[in-house]
Amino acid sequence: MTSARPVHFTVNGAAATVTVEPRTTLADALRNELRLTGTHLGCEHGVCGACTVIVDGAAVRGCLVLAAQAEGREITTVEGLGSAAHLSALQLAFRKHHALQCGFCTAGILTTAHALLTEEPHADEDRIREVISGNLCRCTGYLPIIAAIMEARIAYRDVQCEAAQ
Amino acid sequence: MKLPPLDYICPATLPEAIAALAVHGGNAKVIAGGQSLMPMLAFRLAAPSVLVDIGRLPDLKSISISAEGIDIGALVTWRDIERDAQLAQAHPLLAAAIAHVAHYQVRNRGTVGGSMAHADPAAEMPGIAVTCDAMLTIVGSTGTRILSANEFLTGGLSTVLGADEILTSIRLPLWKKARRWAFEELARRRGDFALAGVAAFYDIDAQGLAHNAHIGVIGVADRPMRLPGVEAILDGRRIDADVILQAAAVARDAVDPADDIHAEAAYRRDLLGVLLERALARAANITLPEAA
Amino acid sequence: MSDVAKLLVGSAVERMEDARFLSGSGNFADDLAVEGMLHAAILRSPIAHARIVAIDASAALAMPGIHAVITARDISDTIPIIPLRLAPLPEFEPFRQPVIASDKVRYVGEPIAVVIADSRALAEDALERIGIEFEALSAVTERGASETPLFDFAEDNVALRYDAGFGDADAAFASADYVRTERFSVQRHTALPMETRGLLAEWNSSAGRLVVTGATKVTFYNRRALAQMLGLREDDIDLIEIDVGGGFGVRGEFYPEDFLIPFAARKVARPVKWIEDRREHLMAINHSRDIACELSLACRSDGMMLGLRGQVFADMGAYIRTNGGVVPAKAAQFLPGPYRIPHVSVSVEAFMTSKTPVGTYRGPGRFEANFFRERLIDMAATDLGIDIAEFRRKNLITEQELPYPIDGLVPYEGPTSYDTGDYVEVFERALKEIGWHEKRHLQGKLVDGVRHGIGLGCFVESGGAGPKENAALTLEKDGSLTVAVGSSVLGQGLETVLGQIASDTLSIPFDRIRVLHGSTTLLDEGFGTYHSRAVVMGGSAVLDAAIRLREKILQQASNHLGRPNSELKIINANVVADNGASVSFAALAAGCELQADGTFSNEVRTYSYGTHAAHVTVDPRTGAVKVLDYIAVEDVGRAINPAIVHGQAIGAIVQGLGGVFLDHLIYDDQGQLLNASLADYLVPTASDFPVLRAVTLELRPSPSNPLGAKGAGEGGIVAVAAATANAVAAALAPLNVEIHHLPLTPPRLWRLIKNAHARAITAA
């Protein structure tokens, strides 16, 4: 049976149900069914990282996960990180460091960095570079992206402190 | 690059999963992390009628270290390995090799079992499995069988897995303390498949001589392989520069890589020798005089 | 400029684009969804050269959810041909590309059929069910390799040959103390913007109007072309530009799909969206570079350059697309570079092969030409026993010699001159930045198993192509400003830069400005974005409009306040009179329409210039290269936003390093593209080149535009191959390795080292 069927998960804190063919990727389901178009498709074969979303705390390539595999999971997309009016510390650091130009790869890099810094707010430059090497950017040359993520670490440390208290 | 039409089922137990595979015969394909399978589906290089998702099967996600060995469940991800400090101590060669696998996002989903079943000739996990005499547990309709990694891998992207079989775990023999080891590979970019790679270890006896040498290579044949000729040179010898150079020369002759778009065969052959020299020098903690 | 506390032009203002991109609320082509929308997928030729005998789409058409399968037969008896936008040499006319293959296919990826379906997935399913019978023909994959002409009317596969130059090169070579000739090449690669192409075409049959969203770069030109092909009036078509995920030269030219998708929308009378997938992107979008060159240099024994001869051989692929012969023409034109070479002769041969057609990619021709020349300079300096820096210093054109004419190198262009600059000062700055004097002793040295090399590359870079650009500024009723410009946005931050110019001129807060761009609905005419022209031309047009609008605002305020213009000042979106009376922009705009058009016409090109320097190590046993340090110094005349200019430079350097080490479209001798995936087509990642620096200077503004800008999008890439390949060559010089060909992959460098070693043994 290849016809559409419902899949339930949580996106950016809200419950969602999508009714999709089994072949549908999570990225396509988010974009086309939920109209969360901030998640971009740059290659659809798991190399460019533009479609990175966070599933149960782990950054994953949205084109390499079936929507059906996300049943019951908690998903965070770029739209869940902050709004245009209320950018997060990470997003603000990107703006400050000119860490984006065309903006197409940006969502995937933000979600990747968010997942990383949430787990590893003390990640060093080499670790950040290693992690971001799973995301392609053709505009910036990566330097400002690394600088922005380095700067944003402090905000995640604060979050960790609050959580600890 | 949308996937071909297919069905998807997500069984709750291993017997259910095997039954589902058996029903669909060769038209079903097991998916776990999907990090190798999904790109093949996107390119429509594979078109199974049904995907059997084993991602939610219980008991395949554990790493356990016992007197019998190190058991790694098929659903253990690279990230699980990377974050397991005990495992890094228990098997430093595995940890070092796995550090080269793919990228952050893929490491979060890619699994040990998936990598073994995909059987890419340049992949690290099959290379470690072959190098370290790993034993694989395979469960199917007709029961369970246990095979060595060498028996399991039959060629590039091919294994002995039957249509109704699932690889459930992999056991690495316990790692000896004070073992000498190194892992070396060269890839075009961080996270890419290696142009060639070497996993090497040996033990040292009371006289300071090497024995139990295991030399495995990736990226230079249609599957990972041990180099018994090289191991024979190392066993019973004190590992010095001469022995290392001799071993590297034998290694170059022992492999017969193919040309492809990333490198000519002669390059891979020579690179393998260089990587082996470097791996053995590091394992022995000596500095080789650099030629060129 | 008006009184404001702080001028924005020249400062690193945070971009107005960023909030929407950072929050995921950008609007890219694939984000579009309209009622009744269908999806297209394109069947592309799987073989390089063949006759199409028959196409059977019946099985595909019978599948549920399939609305149409469009082939050449459905279009018309005469298939529309894509026009030459640039370098329209008549020789190229017969080689232009039809929008769909009818009788023959000439490259892997050429469109044969378009499937229209309820979803992209269904459309792709249907592609697999279209049967095509081919009669295979032999593929042509290199110059002079085949007796078979690819085009029936042609005797061979050479589309164009020409000679150009100035001075008397033959005499210069005859009298020279020293001559060296070498053959070089740059591999075929492409820009790879992160967003693939995409279009949404909507046909309104009752109004007879077509709207195409997702267009960019040269929308007005493309509208003209499309109108002709569809038999519509230009006014009946609108091309709408939305957010664009990178251009770098390849995006926005008129491609087959720019006809096929609107045609399909009209045919099925439903909106049709097409999003190029990455696999088809690699075989469909313009490829570039792929230039070989035989270059000869004549010098005096003291290193003074006397003459240069270059033969440029360009693999154009299967058709000549919109860019015509720009790539080889610019490769020839920029062979002399920033040096005083009195006698130059160049020739160009553009030949056809069974590969994807070629077009411009950031720094077209320059990346290649600078590599060829700077490599040969290092060889010549070494032969003559002259330090490579001293050799360049001696030959760089001095400021006193500017303007320096370089006429006659491009047959379809008029006279042109390098405009302003201090080439030597910028060169010295690059030497200082890389630490040339402290580090030169490292050249070729083996340290910890790797050999060090430092390389230099000097360049001049043209920008600001004419003829014209237009802008329209409107003061809205709420006192905010709308800027509309004919330039296109390709992701480079143009909205911000134009906003800065308008803000300063009109003293309107930056956050009260909205910049609209590219779409054909905004203006009667626009010229687009290419050749580093958006700021030079579009920015100057905005400046012109802003000055005119300022006059209108002052006039209106003068009426309102009853004070003469001379007593009025604009302060923060208010007009204030000497007597303290004031009126806000909003109040003025409420009273009457305040709008001004601006334009900027200019045929004079700008010439930025600079020097790159690279410090690399090479592992001589594996061929692996590390870039330890990289510096690009460029004088851009005027940087409107230094952060944006710096970002352009750093991004361009990394793209260039990809072109040196990674990017490579690999074909086999059957014309099959072997690496149409991002797993095999390699571009730089964050780990590859962690240490890079760019210094942007504003030493000598352009005299040809009021901003003084020279264009800054391409200077970061044009000398990367030059400096980097020279560094690798310097590292390997003790091993008697010379570098002639890119990319510098570990296997290639290893092979060169092995071969040199074998030669040495044979010689001994």
Side-chain angles (χ1 to χ4, degrees):
Chain A
M1 221 207 28
T2 59
S3 55
R5 69 190 74 162
V7 181
H8 314 274
F9 42 66
T10 305
V11 183
N12 301 328
T17 300
V18 294
T19 302
V20 293
E21 283 186 74
R23 62 162 137 178
T24 309
T25 65
L26 177 58
D28 272 340
L30 292 168
R31 288 180 48 79
N32 300 333
E33 307 304 316
L34 301 175
R35 298 296 301 151
L36 291 168
T37 55
T39 299
H40 294 153
L41 293 170
C43 74
E44 295 183 285
H45 54 272
V47 181
C48 80
C51 65
T52 302
V53 295
I54 302 167
V55 177
D56 287 352
V60 303
R61 302 204 191 282
C63 73
L64 296 189
V65 181
L66 292 168
Q69 292 182 294
E71 175 71 41
R73 308 291 189 201
E74 279 185 33
I75 297 160
T76 304
T77 68
V78 67
E79 289 91 346
L81 301 185
S83 67
H86 299 283
L87 295 175
S88 72
L90 178 66
Q91 290 165 321
L92 288 169
F94 268 61
R95 181 160 77 182
K96 178 180 162 191
H97 286 273
H98 194 46
L100 64 156
Q101 289 181 31
C102 80
F104 194 81
C105 71
T106 308
I109 293 180
L110 288 170
T111 45
T112 302
H114 179 72
L116 172 68
L117 296 186
T118 301
E119 276 188 350
E120 304 174 36
H122 294 274
D124 65 11
E125 182 175 339
D126 194 53
R127 171 66 174 157
I128 292 169
R129 256 181 206 293
E130 180 201 335
V131 168
I132 295 303
S133 68
N135 293 71
L136 299 181
C137 168
R138 289 295 278 168
C139 294
T140 64
Y142 304 105
L143 267 59
I145 292 173
I146 304 301
I149 298 172
M150 294 282 284
E151 176 169 310
R153 292 179 301 179
I154 187 79
Y156 287 82
R157 290 173 196 161
D158 293 347
V159 169
Q160 242 186 12
C161 288
E162 282 166 30
Q165 290 157 9
Chain B
M1 299 184 64
K2 306 304 179 192
L3 274 52
L6 44 78
D7 197 3
Y8 168 88
I9 51 176
C10 186
T13 67
L14 187 58
E16 279 176 49
I18 289 162
L21 288 172
V23 166
H24 291 93
N27 294 324
K29 189 97 187 146
V30 172
I31 187 168
Q35 302 301 285
S36 300
L37 180 58
M38 288 289 281
M40 293 184 73
L41 294 170
F43 279 102
R44 300 196 178 208
L45 297 172
S49 61
V50 57
L51 293 179
V52 177
D53 186 357
I54 62 167
R56 294 181 197 239
L57 297 184
D59 310 325
L60 302 187
K61 290 191 172 78
S62 67
I63 298 172
S64 70
I65 302 162
S66 70
E68 279 91 74
I70 300 165
D71 288 297
I72 303 173
L75 292 179
V76 167
T77 63
W78 312 122
R79 162 192 163 104
D80 295 332
I81 292 177
E82 174 180 87
R83 293 155 65 93
D84 192 322
Q86 238 186 329
L87 179 62
Q89 284 227 311
H91 207 295
L93 177 60
L94 173 70
I98 294 317
H100 293 269
V101 177
H103 298 102
Y104 186 65
Q105 298 94 329
V106 170
R107 297 166 67 82
N108 281 337
R109 276 191 74 76
T111 64
V112 166
S115 176
M116 290 303 303
H118 184 63
D120 190 288
E124 289 82 3
M125 189 66 221
I128 291 301
V130 166
T131 306
C132 299
D133 303 318
M135 298 304 286
L136 281 59
T137 302
I138 296 162
V139 183
S141 306
T142 54
T144 298
R145 51 181 180 146
I146 294 175
L147 298 175
S148 73
N150 216 21
E151 293 166 312
F152 178 79
L153 300 165
T154 53
L157 307 186
S158 106
T159 71
V160 299
L161 275 178
D164 64 344
E165 287 187 314
I166 294 173
L167 169 64
T168 56
S169 73
I170 174 166
R171 170 174 293 182
L172 295 169
L174 278 180
W175 188 256
K176 289 217 175 84
K177 285 218 167 68
R179 183 168 269 176
R180 302 302 185 95
W181 65 274
F183 183 85
E184 286 280 342
E185 72 165 53
L186 183 80
R188 292 292 304 279
R189 303 171 301 180
R190 194 174 211 161
D192 284 344
F193 278 118
L195 293 173
V198 175
F201 72 82
Y202 56 85
D203 295 315
I204 296 281
D205 67 15
Q207 286 74 47
L209 305 180
H211 67 100
N212 192 32
H214 282 58
I215 305 298
V217 296
I218 60 173
V220 290
D222 70 347
R223 70 196 91 168
M225 57 196 266
R226 292 263 297 271
L227 300 180
V230 175
E231 293 167 356
I233 286 175
L234 301 175
D235 281 335
R237 304 278 291 276
R238 188 175 306 280
I239 306 302
D240 59 17
D242 283 347
V243 172
I244 290 173
L245 293 178
Q246 210 184 327
V250 170
R252 286 183 177 93
D253 287 343
V255 296
D256 186 18
D259 289 321
D260 69 15
I261 60 168
H262 297 299
E264 62 172 299
Y267 176 77
R268 287 184 199 268
R269 179 196 297 278
D270 191 50
L271 176 63
L272 177 70
V274 173
L275 295 174
L276 182 64
E277 286 177 26
R278 290 178 180 174
L280 290 175
R282 202 138 56 77
N285 198 21
I286 60 176
T287 307
L288 288 178
E290 282 283 352
Chain C
M1 301 266 164
S2 306
D3 285 3
V4 280
K6 191 178 158 210
L7 289 177
L8 298 184
V9 168
S11 72
V13 178
E14 288 188 355
R15 303 194 323 163
M16 59 170 77
E17 296 88 343
D18 287 353
R20 72 173 186 270
F21 293 140
L22 288 165
S23 58
S25 44
N27 186 31
F28 294 90
D30 197 19
D31 303 342
L32 301 168
V34 296
E35 187 68 28
M37 183 171 82
L38 300 175
H39 299 262
I42 295 171
L43 181 71
R44 297 180 182 277
S45 177
I47 42 181
H49 191 202
R51 264 179 226 296
I52 300 172
V53 179
I55 303 176
D56 179 5
S58 55
L61 276 167
M63 296 168 72
I66 305 302
H67 293 257
V69 177
I70 297 166
T71 64
R73 209 188 324 183
D74 302 295
I75 289 170
S76 95
D77 291 339
T78 50
I79 302 299
I81 307 283
I82 296 173
L84 298 172
R85 184 175 68 81
L86 299 173
L89 297 166
E91 291 88 339
F92 284 142
E93 294 281 330
F95 296 96
R96 290 174 303 154
Q97 180 168 12
V99 294
I100 195 164
S102 49
D103 57 333
K104 243 186 170 191
V105 289
R106 292 189 173 85
Y107 65 93
V108 169
E110 183 165 3
I112 298 175
V114 185
V115 173
I116 308 298
D118 284 335
S119 72
R120 170 74 187 201
L122 288 172
E124 289 186 29
D125 296 346
L127 293 183
E128 300 183 327
R129 305 288 292 276
I130 299 175
I132 303 190
E133 191 187 327
F134 291 108
E135 178 194 324
L137 300 167
S138 56
V140 175
T141 57
E142 49 193 29
R143 175 173 175 260
S146 170
E147 306 294 311
T148 344
L150 293 168
F151 290 81
D152 297 336
F153 60 82
E155 286 175 10
D156 58 21
N157 290 318
V158 175
L160 170 75
R161 281 196 185 94
Y162 67 74
D163 299 310
F166 52 77
D168 184 347
D170 286 348
F173 274 79
S175 68
D177 299 331
Y178 168 86
V179 170
R180 184 157 179 178
T181 301
E182 293 289 334
R183 203 177 164 93
F184 303 100
S185 68
V186 175
Q187 83 283 6
R188 177 174 280 249
H189 55 288
T190 187
L192 208 94
M194 286 316 301
E195 185 198 16
T196 57
R197 291 179 296 148
L199 295 170
L200 170 66
E202 297 170 271
W203 171 250
N204 179 332
S205 56
S206 53
R209 281 188 58 77
L210 176 72
V211 178
V212 183
T213 310
T216 186
K217 186 172 182 178
V218 284
T219 51
F220 288 84
Y221 178 87
N222 288 352
R223 175 170 71 167
R224 202 145 56 234
L226 181 59
Q228 274 178 13
M229 292 181 188
L230 289 172
L232 296 171
R233 295 185 322 141
E234 272 185 63
D235 288 357
D236 290 332
I237 302 178
D238 273 316
L239 265 51
I240 307 298
E241 178 172 298
I242 52 175
D243 287 328
V244 174
F248 316 121
V250 297
R251 184 199 300 277
E253 295 293 345
F254 198 103
Y255 285 96
E257 299 82 4
D258 291 276
F259 167 84
L260 294 172
I261 303 308
F263 178 88
R266 186 168 69 172
K267 185 172 170 72
V268 300
R270 294 267 295 271
V272 173
K273 183 163 87 170
W274 169 70
I275 300 298
E276 182 183 53
D277 70 36
R278 187 56 73 180
R279 179 171 172 270
E280 63 180 334
H281 176 91
L282 283 161
M283 56 179 71
I285 204 156
N286 283 344
H287 292 179
S288 199
R289 315 293 193 223
D290 210 352
I291 299 266
C293 180
E294 187 167 300
L295 190 63
S296 306
L297 179 62
C299 301
R300 281 198 328 228
S301 57
D302 65 358
M304 288 302 287
M305 293 160 83
L306 301 173
L308 189 76
R309 268 196 204 126
Q311 291 173 270
V312 167
F313 305 96
D315 180 341
M316 304 303 292
Y319 297 102
I320 303 293
R321 283 183 177 166
T322 53
N323 296 135
V326 167
V327 176
K330 294 293 151 178
Q333 181 191 357
F334 286 93
L335 283 173
Y339 301 103
R340 183 190 317 100
I341 310 178
H343 307 285
V344 174
S345 85
V346 297
S347 71
V348 164
E349 178 182 309
F351 60 94
M352 312 306 292
T353 58
S354 313
K355 299 179 195 166
T356 298
V358 154
T360 55
Y361 165 34
R362 202 177 206 175
R366 289 82 157 171
F367 181 85
E368 301 92 315
N370 293 327
F371 164 63
F372 304 150
R373 178 195 63 252
E374 296 294 313
R375 275 277 49 233
L376 191 55
I377 283 178
D378 272 15
M379 294 178 186
T382 307
D383 285 348
L384 293 169
I386 301 170
D387 171 82
I388 56 170
E390 183 52 33
F391 188 98
R392 288 177 170 81
R393 199 177 279 125
K394 193 182 281 239
N395 286 289
L396 282 169
I397 295 165
T398 61
E399 186 159 24
Q400 292 70 36
E401 295 168 274
L402 295 174
Y404 187 93
I406 48 152
D407 302 339
L409 291 175
V410 184
Y412 57 86
E413 286 179 358
T416 187
S417 298
Y418 298 154
D419 47 9
T420 53
D422 190 338
Y423 297 179
V424 178
E425 179 173 338
V426 168
F427 174 71
E428 300 294 349
R429 175 69 183 270
L431 292 182
K432 185 164 166 257
E433 293 284 343
I434 201 73
W436 170 250
H437 296 286
E438 305 80 49
K439 289 184 186 158
R440 51 190 289 193
H441 73 277
L442 283 171
Q443 293 286 48
K445 284 260 169 64
L446 186 67
V447 181
D448 294 333
V450 293
R451 290 192 180 271
H452 287 252
I454 299 161
L456 307 172
C458 303
F459 71 94
V460 278
E461 162 60 9
S462 70
K468 196 172 156 180
E469 195 52 88
N470 296 321
L473 269 54
T474 307
L475 196 60
E476 305 289 352
K477 300 292 176 208
D478 64 356
S480 68
L481 180 75
T482 300
V483 176
V485 66
S487 305
S488 279
V489 163
L490 296 160
Q492 71 279 55
L494 188 65
E495 293 172 41
T496 296
V497 169
L498 298 181
Q500 288 177 256
I501 294 167
S503 172
D504 278 3
T505 313
L506 288 163
S507 191
I508 290 184
F510 186 63
D511 61 6
R512 300 283 286 151
I513 298 174
R514 189 166 64 125
V515 179
L516 308 175
H517 45 80
S519 302
T520 59
T521 46
L522 300 172
L523 300 160
D524 293 334
E525 191 184 28
F527 294 84
T529 294
Y530 55 96
H531 196 248
S532 296
R533 73 186 297 279
V535 169
V536 171
M537 302 299 293
S540 296
V542 168
L543 179 62
D544 182 51
I547 290 168
R548 290 169 198 274
L549 181 58
R550 186 169 176 271
E551 286 313 306
K552 286 188 179 179
I553 290 169
L554 286 172
Q555 190 53 50
Q556 188 62 23
S558 167
N559 298 343
H560 188 94
L561 297 170
R563 311 297 303 173
N565 281 11
S566 58
E567 292 184 12
L568 301 177
K569 274 186 192 159
I570 298 181
I571 299 170
N572 197 22
N574 286 279
V575 183
V576 182
D578 286 356
N579 65 0
S582 77
V583 59
S584 71
F585 278 14
L588 291 172
C592 75
E593 180 159 305
L594 283 168
Q595 196 272 341
D597 294 336
T599 190
F600 183 67
S601 300
N602 176 31
E603 293 287 359
V604 178
R605 299 210 158 157
T606 60
Y607 287 93
S608 66
Y609 59 94
T611 295
H612 290 203
H615 178 188
V616 307
T617 60
V618 185
D619 179 337
R621 305 197 68 206
T622 64
V625 180
K626 264 193 192 150
V627 177
L628 296 188
D629 193 11
Y630 196 99
I631 177 78
V633 185
E634 183 181 19
D635 180 2
V636 299
R638 182 95 176 276
I640 310 300
N641 186 319
I644 287 178
V645 173
H646 188 258
Q648 285 286 317
I650 295 290
I653 293 168
V654 173
Q655 276 190 1
L657 289 168
V660 174
F661 295 113
L662 296 166
D663 293 63
H664 188 191
L665 291 155
I666 304 169
Y667 280 86
D668 70 8
D669 59 7
Q670 303 299 303
Q672 282 294 337
L673 177 59
L674 299 180
N675 57 344
S677 94
L678 289 191
D680 290 322
Y681 183 86
L682 309 181
V683 296
T685 71
S687 301
D688 293 318
F689 308 110
V691 183
L692 312 163
R693 294 174 292 140
V695 174
T696 300
L697 301 172
E698 299 172 282
L699 297 178
R700 301 290 184 272
S702 165
S704 67
N705 66 75
L707 296 167
K710 287 188 165 185
E714 303 177 86
I717 199 168
V718 294
V720 176
T724 312
N726 277 340
V728 171
L732 296 179
L735 305 179
N736 297 311
V737 167
E738 269 302 1
I739 303 294
H740 296 87
H741 308 289
L742 302 182
L744 303 179
T745 65
R748 168 172 271 155
L749 292 176
W750 174 87
R751 173 50 67 196
L752 291 172
I753 292 164
K754 285 286 162 207
N755 290 352
H757 187 62
R759 276 199 312 274
I761 288 172
T762 313

